[in-house]
Amino acid sequence: MSHNTFGHLFRVTTWGESHGPAIGCVIDGCPPRIPLTEADIQPWLDQRKPGGSRFVTQRQESDTAQILSGVFDDGDGPVTTGTPISILIRNEDQRSKDYGEIARAYRPGHADFAYQAKYGVRDHRGGGRSSARETASRVAAGAVARRILGDGVQIRAGVVQIGPHRIAPEAIDFDAVPGNPLFAASAEVVPDWEAYLDGVRKAGSSIGAVVALEATGVPAGWGAPLYGKLDTELAAALMSINAAKGVEIGAGFGAAELSGEDNADEMRLDLNRQPVFLSNQAGGVLGGISTGQSVTARVAFKPTSSILTPRQTITRDGEETDLRTKGRHDPCVALRAVPVVEAMAACVLADAFLRHRAQVG
Amino acid sequence: MSHNTFGHLFRVTTWGESHGPAIGCVIDGCPPRIPLTEADIQPWLDQRKPGGSRFVTQRQESDTAQILSGVFDDGDGPVTTGTPISILIRNEDQRSKDYGEIARAYRPGHADFAYQAKYGVRDHRGGGRSSARETASRVAAGAVARRILGDGVQIRAGVVQIGPHRIAPEAIDFDAVPGNPLFAASAEVVPDWEAYLDGVRKAGSSIGAVVALEATGVPAGWGAPLYGKLDTELAAALMSINAAKGVEIGAGFGAAELSGEDNADEMRLDLNRQPVFLSNQAGGVLGGISTGQSVTARVAFKPTSSILTPRQTITRDGEETDLRTKGRHDPCVALRAVPVVEAMAACVLADAFLRHRAQVG
Amino acid sequence: MSHNTFGHLFRVTTWGESHGPAIGCVIDGCPPRIPLTEADIQPWLDQRKPGGSRFVTQRQESDTAQILSGVFDDGDGPVTTGTPISILIRNEDQRSKDYGEIARAYRPGHADFAYQAKYGVRDHRGGGRSSARETASRVAAGAVARRILGDGVQIRAGVVQIGPHRIAPEAIDFDAVPGNPLFAASAEVVPDWEAYLDGVRKAGSSIGAVVALEATGVPAGWGAPLYGKLDTELAAALMSINAAKGVEIGAGFGAAELSGEDNADEMRLDLNRQPVFLSNQAGGVLGGISTGQSVTARVAFKPTSSILTPRQTITRDGEETDLRTKGRHDPCVALRAVPVVEAMAACVLADAFLRHRAQVG
Amino acid sequence: MSHNTFGHLFRVTTWGESHGPAIGCVIDGCPPRIPLTEADIQPWLDQRKPGGSRFVTQRQESDTAQILSGVFDDGDGPVTTGTPISILIRNEDQRSKDYGEIARAYRPGHADFAYQAKYGVRDHRGGGRSSARETASRVAAGAVARRILGDGVQIRAGVVQIGPHRIAPEAIDFDAVPGNPLFAASAEVVPDWEAYLDGVRKAGSSIGAVVALEATGVPAGWGAPLYGKLDTELAAALMSINAAKGVEIGAGFGAAELSGEDNADEMRLDLNRQPVFLSNQAGGVLGGISTGQSVTARVAFKPTSSILTPRQTITRDGEETDLRTKGRHDPCVALRAVPVVEAMAACVLADAFLRHRAQVG
C-alpha cells in the first residue's frame, strides 16, 4: 500500500475529492479475457449509494460508473484486456452550500486538523479527499475483483453491532443483510435497531458499529508470510476504510481469553479424506496463509463526528470556537461501510490469488 | 509490505528459519550519519530473548546481533552510511531433538498445515520460518528505527490483559513494564498474574493476552492517506506479528459503543496557543494522519498452540492422529511480543517520518 | 516501475487506449501547495500534439488536459493539495475507419502479435494501449514534475540524428528546438533534414532517429544506489517510451573506446572554491548519484513500422498474408518523442528529489 | 527497483561493502520445491571471481557462497521452501593498505565525490558500497534465477568490443566465451585482444568495452507494458551494473539509421505453422513483450578510472590535488561484467516469468 494505491498485483489507485468534478480509480494488473461491463459494477455501487434510506446521508448521487479503458469487445462481448481499467464516477450533488465555517474551523473527530497540519492546505468542501465518498471507488474496484475470484469465492458482510446492541455470533445470518436498510446480519434485530437508530438520528447524534465479514470458498494456500500475510493484508485494507478503528481476524480480541486447548482448531478427515477443522478460531488463516476454512474478520467503526450538538474546537487562525455540523449526515456511517468492507476483502483476495499463482503456479 | 519486506522508505527485509544457521535482516533506506553500533541494538534484543524467566521458552540463545554492513567509522565513531545495514543473529540452540512426529503431523493452531498446503514443502524444525524466533530480526530493525526517530519519540508497550485478567485503562503504567518478568503494565497485578500464569504453565496449557502500545512525541502530520494511513500501516505491522489476531487504534472496538458526542475529541488552545485535544478516543490519528497526540493501539494475541494435552490432527500423508507438543514452550507468547510490538511501531513511525519529509519537506 | 505505474514517491499511473473515450493519468505523491492549473500543463501537451506539421501524424486532437482532483483554490489560486492529481484527456479523433484488416493481421514491427500472444485479446484500434497516444499522459505528468523541480532545473531535448544525418556534438543547440517542426537541436540542419524527411514521407517510408537530453541545475546527491541509481531510473524511463531501442548516459557507447585517462572527468575548484569538473563523460552521474554537472542522455528510436510498402506477416488465425498500413502515419516517430523524453526525465528527477529529501533531509 | 532491491516478484536485496566482513543478498519470492544447493551457485561465482587472470584485479577472494536460509532437505535433497534465501559471501582479502589518500581525495571518475555529496559520509575502503565486489551478490542471485527458468531458457553474454576492436555481428560466437580469459565472443580475436590489453595494462591505463547478451528460449508473452516492459526492465537491470553507460535492445542505436522497411521484422509460418520472424531487429521484444525470438541486448562499459597516471582532483577538505591510483586494478572492468550481465538478465527474466504467470496464468 502506498499513499493512494493498494494491492501488489491487483493494484487499485483511487483519486478524487467529495466536491470535485468526479472521483474514480485505476485498476492495474487485472487478468485478461474476463467479461466485464458497467453492469457488473453498478449493482455494488447501488448498495453503497447515499440517499437510499433515512439512515444514511441524504446526498443525492446516481453513482454511475463509467469504464474508460481496459475493456474491449472483439465480437464476443466486452472483456478485460490486461491493461489498466479506468473507472470514472461523476459527482453530481455538489451542493453549493456555504463552507465558510468549516473552511475555517476544524470539525472535531474529522480529518480537517490533521490534513491542514500535514499539507498546509486542504480541500475542505465536504471533507475533500477524506470524505467517505471515495469509498465508491473501492466498491467499483471490488466488483472487478469479484469477477477475478469467480463464483467459487463468496464474500459477505453485515452489521453485527450498533452501539450497545449486538447480534449473538450464532444468530448471524448474512442472508438477511440485503433485505434491510440497516445492513444488519439478522432480520430479527431490525425493528429494534430501527427504533434505536431513529432515536439517534432525531437527537442529531451518531453511533458506532461493528461489521462482520465472511469469505467462503477461499482455497488453502493464499497469503504470503511474513509481511504479506493474508490477515495482515486484510487488516490493512479494512483499517484503511474511513472511520475504522479496529480489526479482528477469527476469534480476534476474544483469543486473549482463550486457552491453548480452546483456541487451536483441531483437524480430522472428512468422508473424502479431505482435511476438516473442528472449529474456526483462526478465522481461516494460520501463519498468514489461508487454510481452506472461511476467512472471518470484524471491523469496528467509530460514530461520525458530524453531529448537531455544538462542540469545542479551534480555527485555522488559532482561535477557539464552537462548531455544530449542519446539513445532511449519517447517524451510523458503518451501515454504508458494509459494501466497502466486502469490496476491500474482494480486492485483497484477488491480489492474494494472483500472488499465489505467481509464486506457486 | 511484500512477502518478507516491510516499510516503504525505511525498508526491512527479514530472513531465516528457527533451526537454520542464522536469522537476520537487511535495513534499507536508513538516513546517513546516525551513530550506530551493536550496542544500540543489543539491549532491545536482550529484552525479547528467550530463556529469561520461567514464563517464556527455555530455548537458550544469546541473540547476539552482528552488523555486517552499512556502518562506517571515519574517525568519529561508527555511523550509518545510507547503504543497507545487514544484521546477522546466529542460531545457537538448535537442539538436536527428534522432529519425526511434527515433520509428519500438523500441529493444530500452528502454521504447519498452511505452509504445506501453500508450498508443498516446509522446514518443520521448530516452526521454520513461522517461528517466533524471526521476531528477533524485527527487534533489531526497531532499534535502528528508534535511532532515526531520536529521543523525542518514545515508544512503549506492555501487557494489559492475560486471559480474564485486565488492567483498567486508568491503571496502565508503562513504567512498570521493565521491572517485571510478565511485561505487565502495572506493578500491582504482577503477583496475581504470576500465580495465574504458573497455573497455566504447570497445566501444560497456554493463554492469550493483549498488549497496549503508546507512542508519545509523534508530531502532527505523519501518515499518508488513503492507503498509507498511519493507523493502516500500524495495523498491518502489528497484525504481522506471530499470533496477533486483532488490532485496535485509540478507542478501537469500544468506539462501536460511543456516541458522536463522546467520540469526537474536542480541541482547545493551550497557554502557548497551541492546539490541545480534550480526549484521545482517536488514538492520535485522524484521517490516517497523526494529530500530535499520543498514538495508542492494542494488539490481541492468541495462546500458543503448543500445549501438553493431546489434540486431534492429521498427517501429511492423510491419516488422523493425536498430537501432544513436547519440549519447551511459552505459556503466554504475548509476553515476548511486547518488545516486538514496540519495534514494529518504531519501524512504522520511522518510515512515516521519512515519507512525510519526502512529500512535505 | 510496475506495469502501468512509474516512480517511487512521485508516482504516475497512466491508463487509456488510442481509440477509447479518453486517456489519462493519476499522479500520486506530489508535494502540497504548488500552484497548478491546466494552463501549466497545456503548453507541453501542445508541443507533442499530433497534426502540428506535415512530419507528424495527421490525427486531429486538441489534447485538452482536464484536472479532476488534487488541486484546490482556497482563495490564493489553485494549488496542489498533496492528494492524487487525476488528469483526463479526451480522445476526439477516433476515426471510424475499418479496422478489419489489422484486427486480423499482425502489423510487422508493431506490438500486435506480442499483445495477442500475452493476453489472448487486444484492442487493435489504432494500436490500443501500445499507441503513442499514451505519451500525452506522460507529458502531462512531466508538466507537474517540472513544477516540483522549479525553475532551477532546466530539462531540454532535441533530435540530434535522423537516419544518417547527425548533428555534431559541439553543434548541438537546444535553443533551436522550439523553432523548427523537426525538433532538431540545430537550426542549420533543418532545411536539409526537411528535404530528407519529405523524401521519406513521400516514399511512404519511415526512418529512425536519436534524441539527446540535457538537464541542467540538478544538484549533487540525487539518485540512490544501487538499484535506484539516477542513470538506471533514467534508462528505464526513457526505454519505456514507445519505439525506444537504446539509451546512453554521458559518453554512452562511446565510452567503450575511451581510455581511463580520457574518461575520468578531472576536478578542480572554481573561484568560489566549489568543485568543478573539467569534462563530462559521466553525463552528470557517478555511482548512480548526480554530481552537479549537467545530466546528459541520448535515446535511439526505431522507425515506425507503419509504412506503405506491403510487408509479409501472419494473421491471428494462422494464415500468411501481406499487409500495407493505410492512413495517417509518422515518417519519424522520434520527432514527437522529444517532449516525451523531457517529460520522463522531469518525472525521474522529481522522484529523485523527493527520495533524496526523504533519506537525507 | 528501489535503492538496494530489484525485481517485483523475484526480489533481490543486496548489501555489503568491499572491505566489510561480508557481502550478500536476500532473494524473496522464489518458487518452492526447486532443488538448490551452494553447488548450483558456486560455478557462476567462480566465473566472475577476481584473480583469475592477469586481465582482472589481483584481489584474492574465494567468493564462497553460503546459503543461510530458504532451503530445506526433507529427505529428497535440498529444495527451496518459498521463504527468503539469504546468501552470504565473506570478504577475505581486505588488504590492510593505507587508505589515507583516497579517504581524503576523490578519485576522478569514481563514485567517491557523489557518495560524499549525497550522504556526507562514505566507506572509502576499496570503493565501499560502489565497489564492483557487490556484483558477486548479483551473480549468486542470477544462479537462483536460472534454476527458476530451467534449461529451456539459455542466457549467454560475451565481450564484443574492447576499445577500438570489435567483433563483427555475424562473427559473434557465445560458445567461445568460456574458453578465453577475455570473455570474448570469438576465439579468433583473442590473440590480438590479449596483446592489446597487455599494452593497456602495462601502461597502467584502462579501456572500455561492449558486452553483448542473448537469451534464447524465452517464450512469447513475457513483460508487462507500459512501465514494466521487458526491455525497460532489462535496460534498468543492465544500467545498474557498475560502469555501464549505455544499453541497447536489438538493433539499438543502429535502428536510428534504419528505414521502416528494414526495421520491421516480417513474419511467416514455419512447417509446423508456428510464427517465425525473418529478422530480429526488435531484439525479441515488441511493445515491451517478448515475441518468442531471442532477446538480445548490448551494454557499454566505461574504462575503470583507477589508472597509474596522476589525475587532477580535489579533496574532501576543499583542496586541489593530484591523485594516482595505486595497487591492483582491472585494465578492462567489462571483462568481469560478463557473468554479471548474464545474472541480471536471468533475474529480469525469472521475474517476468512470475509476473506473467500471475496475471495470465
Short mmCIF file of all heavy atoms in Angstrom, two decimals, chain A residues 56-92:
data_model
loop_
_atom_site.label_atom_id
_atom_site.label_comp_id
_atom_site.label_asym_id
_atom_site.label_seq_id
_atom_site.Cartn_x
_atom_site.Cartn_y
_atom_site.Cartn_z
N VAL A 56 -29.08 6.87 6.12
CA VAL A 56 -27.80 7.28 5.52
C VAL A 56 -27.92 8.69 4.95
O VAL A 56 -29.03 9.20 4.78
CB VAL A 56 -27.34 6.29 4.41
CG1 VAL A 56 -27.09 4.91 5.00
CG2 VAL A 56 -28.35 6.22 3.30
N THR A 57 -26.78 9.28 4.65
CA THR A 57 -26.76 10.66 4.20
C THR A 57 -27.72 10.90 3.05
O THR A 57 -27.87 10.06 2.17
CB THR A 57 -25.34 11.09 3.79
OG1 THR A 57 -25.41 12.43 3.30
CG2 THR A 57 -24.78 10.22 2.69
N GLN A 58 -28.34 12.05 3.03
CA GLN A 58 -29.35 12.34 2.03
C GLN A 58 -28.77 12.96 0.76
O GLN A 58 -29.49 13.38 -0.12
CB GLN A 58 -30.44 13.24 2.63
CG GLN A 58 -31.25 12.51 3.69
CD GLN A 58 -31.78 11.17 3.19
OE1 GLN A 58 -32.52 11.09 2.23
NE2 GLN A 58 -31.34 10.08 3.83
N ARG A 59 -27.46 13.00 0.69
CA ARG A 59 -26.83 13.44 -0.56
C ARG A 59 -27.39 12.61 -1.71
O ARG A 59 -27.55 11.40 -1.60
CB ARG A 59 -25.31 13.23 -0.45
CG ARG A 59 -24.54 13.60 -1.70
CD ARG A 59 -23.04 13.59 -1.44
NE ARG A 59 -22.31 13.86 -2.67
CZ ARG A 59 -21.06 14.31 -2.72
NH1 ARG A 59 -20.40 14.54 -1.59
NH2 ARG A 59 -20.45 14.53 -3.87
N GLN A 60 -27.69 13.27 -2.83
CA GLN A 60 -28.25 12.57 -3.97
C GLN A 60 -27.16 12.33 -5.01
O GLN A 60 -26.63 13.26 -5.60
CB GLN A 60 -29.39 13.39 -4.59
CG GLN A 60 -30.59 13.53 -3.68
CD GLN A 60 -31.21 12.19 -3.30
OE1 GLN A 60 -31.31 11.28 -4.13
NE2 GLN A 60 -31.61 12.03 -2.04
N GLU A 61 -26.82 11.09 -5.23
CA GLU A 61 -25.81 10.74 -6.22
C GLU A 61 -26.28 9.49 -6.96
O GLU A 61 -26.70 8.52 -6.34
CB GLU A 61 -24.47 10.41 -5.54
CG GLU A 61 -23.76 11.60 -4.91
CD GLU A 61 -23.14 12.55 -5.93
OE1 GLU A 61 -23.17 12.24 -7.14
OE2 GLU A 61 -22.66 13.61 -5.50
N SER A 62 -26.20 9.53 -8.28
CA SER A 62 -26.56 8.31 -9.01
C SER A 62 -25.41 7.31 -8.96
O SER A 62 -25.60 6.13 -9.16
CB SER A 62 -26.90 8.64 -10.47
OG SER A 62 -25.72 8.97 -11.17
N ASP A 63 -24.21 7.81 -8.65
CA ASP A 63 -23.03 6.92 -8.58
C ASP A 63 -22.93 6.02 -9.80
O ASP A 63 -22.81 4.80 -9.68
CB ASP A 63 -23.09 6.06 -7.30
CG ASP A 63 -22.47 6.78 -6.11
OD1 ASP A 63 -22.05 7.94 -6.27
OD2 ASP A 63 -22.43 6.18 -5.03
N THR A 64 -22.96 6.65 -10.94
CA THR A 64 -22.88 5.89 -12.18
C THR A 64 -21.42 5.68 -12.56
O THR A 64 -20.69 6.64 -12.77
CB THR A 64 -23.60 6.64 -13.32
OG1 THR A 64 -24.94 6.90 -12.90
CG2 THR A 64 -23.61 5.79 -14.59
N ALA A 65 -21.02 4.42 -12.65
CA ALA A 65 -19.65 4.09 -13.01
C ALA A 65 -19.50 4.03 -14.52
O ALA A 65 -20.31 3.41 -15.21
CB ALA A 65 -19.26 2.75 -12.41
N GLN A 66 -18.47 4.66 -15.02
CA GLN A 66 -18.17 4.62 -16.45
C GLN A 66 -16.78 4.01 -16.62
O GLN A 66 -15.81 4.48 -16.01
CB GLN A 66 -18.21 6.05 -17.02
CG GLN A 66 -18.08 6.10 -18.53
CD GLN A 66 -17.94 7.53 -19.06
OE1 GLN A 66 -17.95 8.48 -18.28
NE2 GLN A 66 -17.80 7.66 -20.36
N ILE A 67 -16.68 2.97 -17.43
CA ILE A 67 -15.38 2.35 -17.70
C ILE A 67 -14.75 3.08 -18.88
O ILE A 67 -15.32 3.13 -19.97
CB ILE A 67 -15.53 0.85 -18.03
CG1 ILE A 67 -16.12 0.10 -16.83
CG2 ILE A 67 -14.19 0.25 -18.45
CD1 ILE A 67 -16.40 -1.38 -17.11
N LEU A 68 -13.56 3.65 -18.66
CA LEU A 68 -12.93 4.44 -19.72
C LEU A 68 -11.82 3.70 -20.47
O LEU A 68 -11.36 4.16 -21.50
CB LEU A 68 -12.33 5.72 -19.12
CG LEU A 68 -13.31 6.73 -18.53
CD1 LEU A 68 -12.55 7.93 -17.99
CD2 LEU A 68 -14.31 7.19 -19.58
N SER A 69 -11.40 2.58 -19.96
CA SER A 69 -10.28 1.87 -20.61
C SER A 69 -10.18 0.45 -20.09
O SER A 69 -10.83 0.08 -19.11
CB SER A 69 -8.96 2.60 -20.34
OG SER A 69 -8.63 2.50 -18.96
N GLY A 70 -9.38 -0.35 -20.79
CA GLY A 70 -9.05 -1.68 -20.28
C GLY A 70 -10.05 -2.77 -20.62
O GLY A 70 -9.86 -3.92 -20.21
N VAL A 71 -11.08 -2.42 -21.34
CA VAL A 71 -12.11 -3.38 -21.71
C VAL A 71 -12.34 -3.25 -23.21
O VAL A 71 -12.37 -2.14 -23.74
CB VAL A 71 -13.41 -3.12 -20.92
CG1 VAL A 71 -14.58 -3.90 -21.50
CG2 VAL A 71 -13.21 -3.46 -19.45
N PHE A 72 -12.50 -4.36 -23.91
CA PHE A 72 -12.64 -4.31 -25.35
C PHE A 72 -13.59 -5.41 -25.81
O PHE A 72 -13.55 -6.54 -25.29
CB PHE A 72 -11.27 -4.49 -26.01
CG PHE A 72 -11.30 -4.40 -27.51
CD1 PHE A 72 -11.69 -3.21 -28.13
CD2 PHE A 72 -10.96 -5.48 -28.30
CE1 PHE A 72 -11.72 -3.11 -29.52
CE2 PHE A 72 -10.98 -5.39 -29.69
CZ PHE A 72 -11.37 -4.21 -30.30
N ASP A 73 -14.41 -5.05 -26.76
CA ASP A 73 -15.35 -6.02 -27.32
C ASP A 73 -14.86 -6.41 -28.71
O ASP A 73 -14.94 -5.63 -29.64
CB ASP A 73 -16.74 -5.41 -27.39
CG ASP A 73 -17.77 -6.42 -27.89
OD1 ASP A 73 -17.36 -7.52 -28.34
OD2 ASP A 73 -18.97 -6.12 -27.82
N ASP A 74 -14.35 -7.61 -28.81
CA ASP A 74 -13.84 -8.06 -30.11
C ASP A 74 -14.85 -8.97 -30.80
O ASP A 74 -14.50 -9.79 -31.64
CB ASP A 74 -12.51 -8.79 -29.93
CG ASP A 74 -11.72 -8.82 -31.24
OD1 ASP A 74 -12.09 -8.09 -32.17
OD2 ASP A 74 -10.73 -9.59 -31.31
N GLY A 75 -16.10 -8.81 -30.40
CA GLY A 75 -17.13 -9.57 -31.08
C GLY A 75 -17.91 -10.49 -30.16
O GLY A 75 -19.06 -10.82 -30.41
N ASP A 76 -17.26 -10.88 -29.06
CA ASP A 76 -17.93 -11.80 -28.13
C ASP A 76 -18.33 -11.11 -26.84
O ASP A 76 -18.50 -11.77 -25.81
CB ASP A 76 -16.99 -12.98 -27.82
CG ASP A 76 -16.59 -13.75 -29.06
OD1 ASP A 76 -17.48 -13.97 -29.90
OD2 ASP A 76 -15.41 -14.12 -29.17
N GLY A 77 -18.47 -9.80 -26.88
CA GLY A 77 -18.82 -9.07 -25.66
C GLY A 77 -17.59 -8.49 -25.03
O GLY A 77 -16.47 -8.96 -25.25
N PRO A 78 -17.76 -7.45 -24.23
CA PRO A 78 -16.61 -6.75 -23.63
C PRO A 78 -15.87 -7.63 -22.63
O PRO A 78 -16.49 -8.25 -21.76
CB PRO A 78 -17.25 -5.56 -22.92
CG PRO A 78 -18.64 -5.44 -23.49
CD PRO A 78 -19.05 -6.83 -23.88
N VAL A 79 -14.56 -7.67 -22.77
CA VAL A 79 -13.70 -8.40 -21.83
C VAL A 79 -12.53 -7.51 -21.44
O VAL A 79 -12.15 -6.58 -22.16
CB VAL A 79 -13.16 -9.71 -22.42
CG1 VAL A 79 -14.28 -10.69 -22.76
CG2 VAL A 79 -12.30 -9.45 -23.67
N THR A 80 -11.95 -7.83 -20.29
CA THR A 80 -10.74 -7.12 -19.87
C THR A 80 -9.61 -7.47 -20.83
O THR A 80 -9.55 -8.58 -21.37
CB THR A 80 -10.33 -7.52 -18.45
OG1 THR A 80 -10.11 -8.93 -18.42
CG2 THR A 80 -11.42 -7.18 -17.45
N THR A 81 -8.71 -6.52 -21.03
CA THR A 81 -7.60 -6.74 -21.96
C THR A 81 -6.26 -6.92 -21.25
O THR A 81 -5.24 -7.12 -21.91
CB THR A 81 -7.46 -5.54 -22.93
OG1 THR A 81 -7.24 -4.37 -22.14
CG2 THR A 81 -8.71 -5.36 -23.78
N GLY A 82 -6.25 -6.82 -19.93
CA GLY A 82 -5.00 -6.91 -19.19
C GLY A 82 -4.33 -5.56 -19.00
O GLY A 82 -3.31 -5.45 -18.33
N THR A 83 -4.91 -4.52 -19.60
CA THR A 83 -4.39 -3.16 -19.45
C THR A 83 -5.22 -2.43 -18.39
O THR A 83 -6.25 -2.95 -17.95
CB THR A 83 -4.45 -2.42 -20.80
OG1 THR A 83 -5.80 -2.32 -21.22
CG2 THR A 83 -3.64 -3.17 -21.86
N PRO A 84 -4.79 -1.25 -17.96
CA PRO A 84 -5.47 -0.60 -16.82
C PRO A 84 -6.94 -0.29 -17.10
O PRO A 84 -7.29 0.20 -18.17
CB PRO A 84 -4.69 0.70 -16.63
CG PRO A 84 -3.40 0.50 -17.31
CD PRO A 84 -3.64 -0.47 -18.42
N ILE A 85 -7.74 -0.58 -16.11
CA ILE A 85 -9.17 -0.29 -16.18
C ILE A 85 -9.41 1.01 -15.41
O ILE A 85 -9.23 1.06 -14.19
CB ILE A 85 -9.98 -1.44 -15.55
CG1 ILE A 85 -9.69 -2.75 -16.29
CG2 ILE A 85 -11.48 -1.12 -15.56
CD1 ILE A 85 -10.20 -3.99 -15.56
N SER A 86 -9.78 2.04 -16.14
CA SER A 86 -10.06 3.33 -15.51
C SER A 86 -11.56 3.48 -15.34
O SER A 86 -12.31 3.34 -16.30
CB SER A 86 -9.50 4.46 -16.38
OG SER A 86 -9.80 5.71 -15.81
N ILE A 87 -11.97 3.74 -14.12
CA ILE A 87 -13.41 3.89 -13.83
C ILE A 87 -13.65 5.29 -13.29
O ILE A 87 -12.94 5.76 -12.40
CB ILE A 87 -13.86 2.83 -12.80
CG1 ILE A 87 -13.67 1.43 -13.39
CG2 ILE A 87 -15.32 3.07 -12.39
CD1 ILE A 87 -14.00 0.30 -12.43
N LEU A 88 -14.64 5.95 -13.87
CA LEU A 88 -14.97 7.33 -13.52
C LEU A 88 -16.38 7.39 -12.94
O LEU A 88 -17.30 6.79 -13.49
CB LEU A 88 -14.90 8.20 -14.79
CG LEU A 88 -15.09 9.70 -14.60
CD1 LEU A 88 -13.74 10.35 -14.29
CD2 LEU A 88 -15.67 10.34 -15.86
N ILE A 89 -16.51 8.12 -11.84
CA ILE A 89 -17.83 8.35 -11.24
C ILE A 89 -17.99 9.85 -11.03
O ILE A 89 -17.22 10.46 -10.27
CB ILE A 89 -17.95 7.62 -9.87
CG1 ILE A 89 -17.70 6.11 -10.05
CG2 ILE A 89 -19.31 7.88 -9.24
CD1 ILE A 89 -17.52 5.36 -8.73
N ARG A 90 -18.92 10.43 -11.73
CA ARG A 90 -19.13 11.88 -11.63
C ARG A 90 -19.72 12.24 -10.26
O ARG A 90 -20.57 11.52 -9.74
CB ARG A 90 -20.10 12.35 -12.71
CG ARG A 90 -19.55 12.24 -14.13
CD ARG A 90 -18.85 13.53 -14.54
NE ARG A 90 -18.02 13.27 -15.72
CZ ARG A 90 -16.92 13.96 -16.01
NH1 ARG A 90 -16.49 14.94 -15.23
NH2 ARG A 90 -16.22 13.67 -17.09
N ASN A 91 -19.31 13.34 -9.72
CA ASN A 91 -20.01 13.91 -8.57
C ASN A 91 -21.14 14.77 -9.08
O ASN A 91 -20.92 15.63 -9.94
CB ASN A 91 -19.05 14.77 -7.73
CG ASN A 91 -18.03 13.93 -7.01
OD1 ASN A 91 -18.29 12.80 -6.64
ND2 ASN A 91 -16.84 14.50 -6.80
N GLU A 92 -22.34 14.54 -8.59
CA GLU A 92 -23.49 15.28 -9.10
C GLU A 92 -24.03 16.28 -8.09
O GLU A 92 -24.37 17.39 -8.42
CB GLU A 92 -24.58 14.28 -9.52
CG GLU A 92 -24.11 13.41 -10.70
CD GLU A 92 -24.91 12.12 -10.85
OE1 GLU A 92 -25.75 11.83 -9.99
OE2 GLU A 92 -24.66 11.41 -11.85
#
